[in-house]
Amino acid sequence: MPLTTGALDISAAELALASLFIVAAGAISLWGRIGLGKPILMGAVRCVLQLTIMGYVLSFIFGIASPWVVLLLFCVMVAFAVRIVRGNVSEKSIPFVFPSFVTMLLVYTVVTGIVSGLIVGVRPFWHPQYFIPLAGMVAGNSMTALGLSLDRLLSDLKAKRDLVEMQLCLGATPVEASQDIFRDALKAGMIPSVNSLAGVGLVFLPGMMTGQILSGEDPMLAIRYQIVVMFMLVASTALTVSLVLGIVRQRCFSPGRQLLLRSNRPQ
Amino acid sequence: MIHQIPCFEFHDVSFAWHGERVILERQSFSLPQGAFVLIRGPSGGGKSTLLRLMNRLEEVETGEISYLGQNLTDWHPSELRQQVAYLQQTPVISDRSVRDILLQPFSFRINREKTKPSDQILQQLLGKVQMKDIGLDDPGAVLSGGQRQRLSLLRTLLTGPNVLLLDEPTSSLDSESRRCVLELVEELNRQGTTIVMITHDTFLPNHVPVMKITIDQGRVFVCR
């Protein structure tokens, strides 16, 4: 069967038909009495609204040849990613929003720039048609990993306070005293992206490749893009998670090398 | 021999948990070098907190604490904790081998230039606390509560601290093991180590003078 050129249009009526999937999910929530009906509905509404707004924004930006506009949009995307990460981390006593934002912005910009400018060869490298989707994939994937690993780091430091203090008392630096906990948190953040390397193409066809195939691209070209994207995601996740964890770990200790995270129970 | 510079000097020290539960309220006292200090008081009265302040695991709210004449905040934290070793009430022992557990302090940068004790020395030390049947390759996971407590004490001793802050070091021990541990602690004191020990025991060292401290409702009572 020959490939179709360009993606087939989806009308408003056909989009409405797709909303039956949401109805099905809501029905399962009702049947199982798990109380997710409202979050599913709100999530679906947000999904439609946010994607529609993003569609208009992208259409507008594609028409303007300005790196600053691309950077501004990217900053907004990263800011929202950080906001989501913050919501996923239960421990609120250690400030990590600003260092997370700066690290994510720098790492994502560098990694995406390398992919779009060097590997794909787009000129200029910040061309919104390539830079924004690639950067969005990087941000979306690693923010989940970052939330996981930060939550793990902070909750483990709190729960294993005795272990950390024992090592501090034996002369360890904060880095030495928290090294095992740091490693576990880093691993927790990286494992999903590493696993997806093994599962892609067998267990699932990722979104970028799917989108390209749907729009009529040769699958052999689509897979090359996807391979680049998968490698990019692993690297950006590893870099972001390790850098942010390192900065946040430092903030968990006072200048006197006391662990600042504590339960409410005094000793 | 008691030297002139106090080992610890508390000057107008206040500390409260979460700004509410007062542990110390403007207390001043000193502990001489080479002293054997017993701390007693009601449960929850702040005995452990006092040791944590001396090791700088907690910061005073007002006043200052000096070690050998120098404010604790002027000491490099790792160097202070090397000299002023704190043994927690609940021992923290990993699943690694007994040897790895004992030698753990030597894996930290501050202790890397010190000579690691040999297996023979480690085995002798285990013998001193009634653990001669424990092998150096045995995992920490199989040790009883009392054995963990003794192992934790030995680990603290290996880098040769000047001061030992012991938080109920014999609470999980039977009478024979308790006697061995207290003899070891007395021996260390005779060799010049300052001992500050929390205990609910009616224990009194046999051959060294004792200084007794009671903490209650924010006040410290010193009895020499």
Side-chain angles (χ1 to χ4, degrees), chain B:
Chain B
M1 186 165 109
I2 309 292
H3 302 280
Q4 285 190 338
I5 302 175
C7 187
F8 279 97
E9 196 160 10
F10 282 64
H11 179 69
D12 214 29
V13 170
S14 294
F15 181 87
W17 282 111
H18 308 296
E20 293 173 359
R21 198 160 77 86
V22 174
I23 301 298
L24 293 175
E25 194 166 11
R26 303 193 63 181
Q27 296 299 294
S28 299
F29 61 95
S30 65
L31 306 179
Q33 288 187 54
F36 197 119
V37 182
L38 289 176
I39 301 181
R40 293 199 169 109
S43 186
K47 301 182 296 297
S48 298
T49 305
L50 185 66
L51 297 191
R52 290 170 64 85
L53 285 168
M54 291 161 78
N55 181 261
R56 220 186 152 196
L57 283 177
E58 308 292 346
E59 293 283 12
V60 298
E61 287 176 1
T62 61
E64 73 174 46
I65 303 175
S66 307
Y67 169 61
L68 297 180
Q70 195 176 343
N71 194 324
L72 290 189
T73 55
D74 293 332
W75 283 88
H76 188 283
S78 293
E79 285 176 16
L80 171 71
R81 289 170 186 150
Q82 222 192 359
Q83 293 200 28
V84 180
Y86 170 59
L87 181 68
Q88 294 155 306
Q89 186 174 359
T90 307
V92 180
I93 299 290
S94 68
D95 295 339
R96 295 180 185 155
S97 68
V98 167
R99 180 191 293 103
D100 285 348
I101 291 167
L102 286 171
L103 296 180
Q104 190 176 12
F106 298 92
S107 66
F108 305 137
R109 195 169 61 224
I110 201 162
N111 294 320
R112 279 206 193 120
E113 289 182 12
K114 294 188 177 176
T115 310
K116 276 191 210 176
S118 63
D119 280 4
Q120 193 181 5
I121 293 175
L122 293 180
Q123 210 67 65
Q124 281 172 4
L125 281 172
L126 287 171
K128 281 194 173 187
V129 291
Q130 301 265 301
M131 286 176 69
K132 65 179 189 313
D133 294 332
I134 301 295
L136 290 175
D137 293 316
D138 289 352
V142 305
L143 300 177
S144 69
Q147 288 170 332
R148 285 166 182 249
Q149 202 167 28
R150 281 170 275 166
L151 196 68
S152 192
L153 173 63
L154 291 181
R155 178 176 58 192
T156 304
L157 298 180
L158 281 175
T159 52
N162 295 335
V163 181
L164 275 177
L165 308 175
L166 306 172
D167 197 343
E168 299 197 48
T170 59
S171 57
S172 301
L173 304 183
D174 57 48
S175 55
E176 183 58 27
S177 303
R178 191 180 300 143
R179 185 187 62 78
C180 289
V181 165
L182 293 174
E183 276 179 9
L184 175 62
V185 171
E186 267 195 63
E187 186 190 327
L188 289 167
N189 183 246
R190 279 197 295 274
Q191 292 169 7
T193 305
T194 305
I195 305 289
V196 184
M197 188 165 90
I198 296 171
T199 180
H200 289 296
D201 270 337
T202 51
F203 156 80
L204 282 176
N206 291 324
H207 307 294
V208 295
V210 169
M211 187 173 162
K212 293 179 202 169
I213 284 180
T214 309
I215 304 176
D216 193 15
Q217 296 182 15
R219 296 189 63 193
V220 173
F221 305 92
V222 178
C223 180
R224 292 176 199 265

Side-chain angles (χ1 to χ4, degrees), chain A:
Chain A
M1 187 178 282
L3 297 173
T4 58
T5 52
L8 295 173
D9 191 21
I10 298 178
S11 66
E14 287 158 342
L15 204 57
L17 193 63
S19 64
L20 289 178
F21 290 119
I22 296 299
V23 173
I28 291 171
S29 166
L30 211 65
W31 167 79
R33 292 183 195 167
I34 56 176
L36 284 180
K38 195 175 172 189
I40 289 172
L41 178 63
M42 293 308 298
V45 169
R46 276 186 68 164
C47 168
V48 170
L49 276 174
Q50 286 165 189
L51 283 174
T52 304
I53 291 169
M54 183 53 85
Y56 281 115
V57 168
L58 284 176
S59 301
F60 171 72
I61 286 176
F62 285 3
I64 301 176
S66 168
W68 302 112
V69 175
V70 171
L71 181 62
L72 178 65
L73 176 61
F74 188 39
C75 285
V76 171
M77 288 164 68
V78 174
F80 274 107
V82 172
R83 193 161 173 261
I84 292 169
V85 168
R86 189 169 181 271
N88 287 341
V89 176
S90 49
E91 179 60 52
K92 306 291 182 200
S93 63
I94 303 293
F96 62 82
V97 167
F98 184 69
S100 296
F101 176 79
V102 172
T103 306
M104 286 161 82
L105 192 64
L106 281 172
V107 170
Y108 299 164
T109 304
V110 168
V111 170
T112 311
I114 289 172
V115 170
S116 69
L118 224 57
I119 298 172
V120 175
V122 176
R123 295 287 179 271
F125 76 91
W126 50 263
H127 195 298
Q129 184 188 348
Y130 288 84
F131 194 90
I132 295 295
L134 287 171
M137 274 190 277
V138 167
N141 273 274
S142 70
M143 79 173 178
T144 308
L146 188 57
L148 258 173
S149 52
L150 272 176
D151 195 55
R152 178 75 182 259
L153 176 77
L154 296 175
S155 59
D156 274 6
L157 281 175
K158 199 171 179 175
K160 296 179 184 176
R161 186 187 177 85
D162 284 351
L163 171 67
V164 174
E165 285 191 338
M166 178 271 288
Q167 295 180 98
L168 290 173
C169 289
L170 294 175
T173 60
V175 169
E176 289 170 331
S178 60
Q179 195 59 12
D180 287 345
I181 293 172
F182 180 89
R183 274 197 201 114
D184 288 344
L186 182 59
K187 201 172 171 184
M190 285 184 62
I191 278 179
S193 63
V194 171
N195 283 347
S196 68
L197 278 179
V200 72
L202 289 176
V203 177
F204 65 101
L205 290 181
M208 179 174 191
M209 189 171 150
T210 307
Q212 286 187 308
I213 291 172
L214 283 176
S215 64
E217 276 301 339
D218 179 4
M220 294 312 293
L221 177 61
I223 61 124
R224 277 188 226 148
Y225 269 91
Q226 192 60 62
I227 288 169
V228 168
V229 164
M230 296 303 293
F231 290 178
M232 173 184 76
L233 293 180
V234 169
S236 61
T237 299
L239 274 169
T240 311
V241 169
S242 59
L243 288 171
V244 174
L245 281 185
I247 294 169
V248 173
R249 170 172 59 177
Q250 202 177 13
R251 289 177 170 218
C252 292
F253 292 88
S254 70
R257 297 188 174 179
Q258 296 129 353
L259 179 59
L260 296 173
L261 287 162
R262 60 175 77 232
S263 62
N264 290 329
R265 181 179 58 85
Q267 296 183 279

